[in-house]
Amino acid sequence: MEKKSRLLTIGQFAALHGINKKTLMWYDEAGLFHPAQVTPENGYRYYSYRQSSVLETILLLRELGVSVGEIRTFMDNRSAAGMERLLREQIEHLDAKMARLKEVRRALAHHCRNMQTLLELDLSEISVAERAERRLITVDIRPDASFDKQVEMITAETKKHRLRRLHDASYGTMIPVESLYCGRFDDRSRLFIEIPSPARKTGLHIQPAGNYARAFYRDSGENAALCFRRILDYAAERGLELTGFAYEVILNENVMERQEDALVQVEIPIRPE
């Protein structure tokens, strides 16, 4: 009785560690964690305080997603080296998961900003907005290239950069500013794709940081031309010089039902004075 009085019942031990009694019973049956003593006459399980650190280790590994089999192997041959290896593997898994969650959050924030822009959108407004530098994958879309060929090229580029799904990316079209000044408002020469963390850093297009002329139009060739003329007039009236490329992106692609309902955002860099 003296020895048993120093032990905890299964209920006490479970409560101490914030788990259910059934969890301890399952760990015992799975050969993962046994009680310090079992009463032969009634099968009652008793646990020692000294077992707490072992159980907490198991609970931590289970919380990290380590399989029961892996934990059992570790428990059968417990060592500092084995624990270090298990924990290092889990740190690597967590780092990868955290990086992925950051990418998902960035994509969600991008879509949320687009929806907020839609709710406050004034199609008649032209403004100057500051934008941070972006690194973009670009694909030339030659006039003589078929649609199937363009899709093939885009697919190849996304594979190079290990893009999981298109919702991970922001994508749109690019028009050289020289074409706009010459009145060629449909001269979309490139498709751009921005992904959160490009696997390859070389060969990317740098969209410069700085001030951009920003405007919107409802998707059609006629509306696009009118929008670009308005931007050119806006810049001329204020003595602003546009440079680089016009970047077009559809804001409401995931909520529109018809192509004519598409709302396009245009941003064009303003050359610094």
Side-chain angles (χ1 to χ4, degrees):
M1 289 297 294
E2 177 64 21
K3 183 178 181 181
K4 185 182 293 186
S5 66
R6 299 192 186 121
L7 300 176
L8 299 172
T9 66
I10 188 171
Q12 290 171 327
F13 197 67
L16 179 65
H17 292 276
I19 59 175
N20 193 289
K21 289 192 299 183
K22 291 182 178 179
T23 300
L24 287 173
M25 295 171 68
W26 184 77
Y27 283 172
D28 186 13
E29 293 166 1
L32 197 59
F33 183 73
H34 302 296
Q37 182 178 322
V38 179
T39 306
E41 57 269 22
N42 53 26
Y44 288 171
R45 295 171 170 88
Y46 293 90
Y47 296 83
S48 166
Y49 277 118
R50 292 183 177 180
Q51 292 180 282
S52 288
S53 60
V54 177
L55 177 60
E56 284 299 326
T57 299
I58 293 172
L59 295 175
L60 171 63
L61 294 175
R62 288 296 291 153
E63 187 175 343
L64 292 173
V66 181
S67 71
V68 171
E70 288 180 282
I71 297 175
R72 187 187 295 116
T73 299
F74 165 73
M75 296 301 295
D76 289 343
N77 300 279
R78 273 189 293 162
S79 68
M83 174 62 84
E84 193 271 343
R85 178 186 58 79
L86 260 181
L87 294 179
R88 186 171 297 280
E89 288 175 357
Q90 294 311 307
I91 289 171
E92 291 173 358
H93 291 325
L94 280 175
D95 286 344
K97 187 175 182 180
M98 288 165 61
R100 174 59 183 153
L101 286 174
K102 286 181 180 178
E103 292 176 5
V104 172
R105 188 190 185 285
R106 180 173 174 177
L108 291 175
H110 169 75
H111 291 306
C112 187
R113 286 193 300 271
N114 282 353
M115 293 304 101
Q116 187 65 39
T117 299
L118 287 175
L119 293 172
E120 302 171 351
L121 189 59
D122 179 355
L123 289 178
S124 66
E125 181 183 13
I126 298 177
S127 61
V128 174
E130 188 173 357
R131 174 173 277 289
E133 178 184 289
R134 293 197 298 177
R135 294 177 178 268
L136 308 176
I137 302 167
T138 59
V139 178
D140 291 336
I141 44 178
R142 300 185 303 273
D144 59 335
S146 67
F147 177 75
D148 289 342
K149 181 61 177 178
Q150 291 180 19
V151 171
E152 181 182 319
M153 293 165 63
I154 294 164
T155 302
E157 285 299 318
T158 55
K159 283 184 177 179
K160 287 179 187 176
H161 295 272
R162 302 173 191 171
L163 181 63
R164 295 175 178 86
R165 296 180 180 87
L166 279 179
H167 70 63
D168 291 339
S170 168
Y171 50 95
T173 51
M174 297 165 58
I175 304 175
V177 166
E178 292 85 349
S179 296
L180 299 182
Y181 280 121
C182 294
R184 299 195 302 272
F185 303 126
D186 59 351
D187 188 15
R188 293 173 177 84
S189 60
R190 298 187 194 179
L191 172 75
F192 74 80
I193 307 169
E194 180 193 19
I195 59 178
S197 301
R200 300 170 58 191
K201 302 296 184 182
T202 58
L204 299 178
H205 170 83
I206 306 300
Q207 180 179 350
N211 289 328
Y212 282 68
R214 176 183 291 171
F216 307 89
Y217 67 87
R218 201 170 294 279
D219 195 17
S220 77
E222 180 181 353
N223 287 339
L226 289 172
C227 179
F228 286 123
R229 288 193 184 97
R230 288 175 53 238
I231 294 173
L232 292 174
D233 290 343
Y234 176 91
E237 290 168 3
R238 290 161 178 77
L240 305 176
E241 183 182 353
L242 305 178
T243 185
F245 291 87
Y247 300 86
E248 296 181 300
V249 62
I250 298 176
L251 296 179
N252 63 334
E253 197 164 32
N254 56 346
V255 295
M256 70 183 194
E257 294 186 4
R258 302 174 303 167
Q259 182 61 34
E260 54 266 36
D261 293 328
L263 292 170
V264 182
Q265 174 183 278
V266 179
E267 291 183 328
I268 309 176
I270 298 170
R271 190 185 298 278
E273 295 181 1

